[in-house]
Amino acid sequence: MVTAMMLKTYLEIINKLDGIVFIKRNCQVNERRHLKNNAHSHSMEIDWKKNETIVPNLESYELATSMMNSEWMLEKPEDIENWIAVLCPEGKRCCVIAQDNKTKSVNKYGTSLFHFPSLFPYGCHLPNNCPSHRKRTVLDCIYNFKIKKFYILDIIEWMGVPYTDFDAEFRFYFIQSKLSEIPGINEKSLKNTYPFELAPRMRTSELYIHLMEKNQYFHDHVELDGINFYYPESMYTPGDSPLMLWLKIFMIPEILHKPINDQLEQLYRPSNYVNIFEYIQNTKKKSRKNRRKKSTSSSCDTMEVDSMIEVEPEKDPAIGNDMCMEN
């Protein structure tokens, strides 16, 4: 005979079982809902990826657009003799990035120009090169199409350490010492497709002597494009900088009031040259005209180049290759 006490106990057990079943059922329902929501979100993700637009590499773009550019030297700085003069060859200004055991050069828009191995840290597959996406070596360079060679102007980053907050004098000393520690960096090889060389540099006071004695400043008959003058204590800052000034070599007598030898003047001075101000205005006009002409045809700056393509960009001889304008 079932007593009242036993009935009460049975009812408590049944209630507990119902609670357990309800909890389990509720978990199963939620799990199914979660799976359904996941499936829906997954299909949405697939649809989004189908419609996703491929954009240029943001990291390369940020690096390229943060490069320091020179301004025209319209008047002589008082302490110009102590500034560092960097001789710039004719070529294309670019940013060289060594990362993840490969190297690439990008133009001022961040578009990749070349992909190649180099002997810089993280620039190719070497036993001592441990790939790390967060670490890279970044250099400010000029690429000469004639001899397929990079000339280093400045250093931006080395093995993941930025050097933009160091002054120009230290940056130039540092990159020169690092280049001396990399055997074969100035030669072409399987691990170093393009040779790299530090662009010649000296105090402006020393430059005056060279301008009177020398006519050729680069090997293999590479032409001199112009001279960048760096204030020794200047940091590497993005955009145009008044602490990095640019002159064509035939402008030196006009602005710095120092002579150059006759052969240099005959070689580089345009026959219709009047003064630096008129030269800048004419260059701007021709540059705008050239850009309008190029806008009608496809440009390599509008797409990412996956393989290495060596095509020298169209260049108007009348415009030249001004560092502060084109490069």
Side-chain angles (χ1 to χ4, degrees):
M1 184 175 179
V2 179
T3 63
M5 183 65 68
M6 293 175 62
L7 182 61
K8 183 179 180 181
T9 303
Y10 290 149
L11 289 174
E12 288 177 354
I13 293 173
I14 291 171
N15 287 335
K16 288 181 180 180
L17 289 173
D18 285 343
I20 293 172
V21 171
F22 174 79
I23 292 172
K24 186 175 181 180
R25 183 172 64 248
N26 193 44
C27 289
Q28 290 174 340
V29 170
N30 288 337
E31 185 178 358
R32 293 298 300 171
R33 285 175 177 170
H34 182 64
L35 288 174
K36 186 176 180 180
N37 289 337
N38 273 353
H40 178 67
S41 62
H42 182 64
S43 64
M44 291 289 289
E45 183 179 358
I46 292 174
D47 292 338
W48 177 80
K49 286 185 177 180
K50 286 180 181 178
N51 298 325
E52 185 181 10
T53 303
I54 298 175
V55 296
N57 185 285
L58 180 61
E59 185 180 36
S60 298
Y61 176 79
E62 289 178 347
L63 277 174
T65 54
S66 65
M67 293 174 70
M68 184 164 70
N69 300 316
S70 57
E71 295 182 359
W72 284 102
M73 185 189 293
L74 300 178
E75 58 182 15
K76 178 182 177 180
E78 292 182 359
D79 55 347
I80 188 62
E81 281 73 17
N82 294 323
W83 288 41
I84 303 172
V86 178
L87 307 182
C88 302
E90 286 188 343
K92 184 70 176 177
R93 180 88 178 276
C94 60
C95 185
V96 173
I97 306 167
Q99 188 176 24
D100 295 332
N101 285 346
K102 54 183 178 289
T103 309
K104 66 178 177 180
S105 63
V106 299
N107 64 10
K108 59 185 177 182
Y109 303 107
T111 303
S112 295
L113 300 175
F114 307 152
H115 290 80
F116 56 95
S118 74
L119 291 173
F120 288 112
Y122 317 119
C124 70
H125 289 280
L126 288 176
N128 59 341
N129 264 357
C130 299
S132 173
H133 185 66
R134 294 185 178 182
K135 291 185 178 181
R136 61 192 179 187
T137 295
V138 185
L139 302 171
D140 184 347
C141 300
I142 292 177
Y143 177 74
N144 182 269
F145 289 88
K146 180 181 178 181
I147 62 172
K148 298 179 173 59
K149 187 175 188 176
F150 285 94
Y151 290 88
I152 301 172
L153 299 180
D154 211 331
I155 180 173
I156 300 174
E157 198 168 323
W158 187 267
M159 296 183 69
V161 179
Y163 283 84
T164 51
D165 290 338
F166 290 87
D167 60 61
E169 195 163 16
F170 175 80
R171 295 197 310 271
F172 296 166
Y173 165 78
F174 180 83
I175 187 59
Q176 185 174 16
S177 64
K178 288 301 177 183
L179 288 175
S180 65
E181 297 173 3
I182 308 177
I185 192 65
N186 60 341
E187 299 173 355
K188 181 179 179 180
S189 65
L190 291 176
K191 296 291 185 181
N192 197 68
T193 304
Y194 297 98
F196 282 81
E197 181 180 315
L198 190 66
R201 58 203 65 206
M202 64 200 75
R203 296 284 179 183
T204 305
S205 56
E206 300 173 16
L207 174 68
Y208 297 149
I209 302 173
H210 287 267
L211 294 177
M212 291 300 297
E213 296 178 350
K214 296 181 66 175
N215 301 320
Q216 190 67 38
Y217 298 94
F218 301 96
H219 299 296
D220 302 309
H221 303 288
V222 173
E223 298 294 336
L224 174 67
D225 185 27
I227 303 174
N228 265 334
F229 295 86
Y230 291 78
Y231 182 64
E233 298 178 10
S234 62
M235 294 182 291
Y236 194 99
T237 55
D240 298 344
S241 172
L243 301 179
M244 176 182 172
L245 300 177
W246 170 256
L247 278 181
K248 290 286 191 177
I249 195 167
F250 54 84
M251 298 173 177
I252 286 178
E254 176 187 356
I255 302 299
L256 299 183
H257 312 298
K258 294 291 182 179
I260 61 175
N261 68 65
D262 294 337
Q263 290 183 342
L264 278 178
E265 188 161 359
Q266 292 174 6
L267 182 62
Y268 292 106
R269 183 186 174 98
S271 58
N272 61 346
Y273 180 77
V274 178
N275 56 53
I276 186 172
F277 299 100
E278 187 170 321
Y279 181 89
I280 293 172
Q281 291 302 319
N282 291 337
T283 302
K284 287 181 178 179
K285 291 178 183 178
K286 292 173 183 176
S287 181
R288 285 194 294 266
K289 182 179 179 181
N290 196 42
R291 282 198 297 269
R292 286 196 297 268
K293 187 187 299 182
K294 286 184 178 181
S295 65
T296 60
S297 60
S298 60
S299 172
C300 64
D301 290 336
T302 61
M303 63 181 67
E304 184 79 12
V305 181
D306 293 328
S307 59
M308 184 179 63
I309 301 176
E310 293 181 3
V311 180
E312 185 168 7
E314 180 184 354
K315 184 172 68 174
D316 187 343
I319 296 177
N321 195 20
D322 296 322
M323 176 68 65
C324 60
M325 306 297 291
E326 168 62 20
N327 294 331

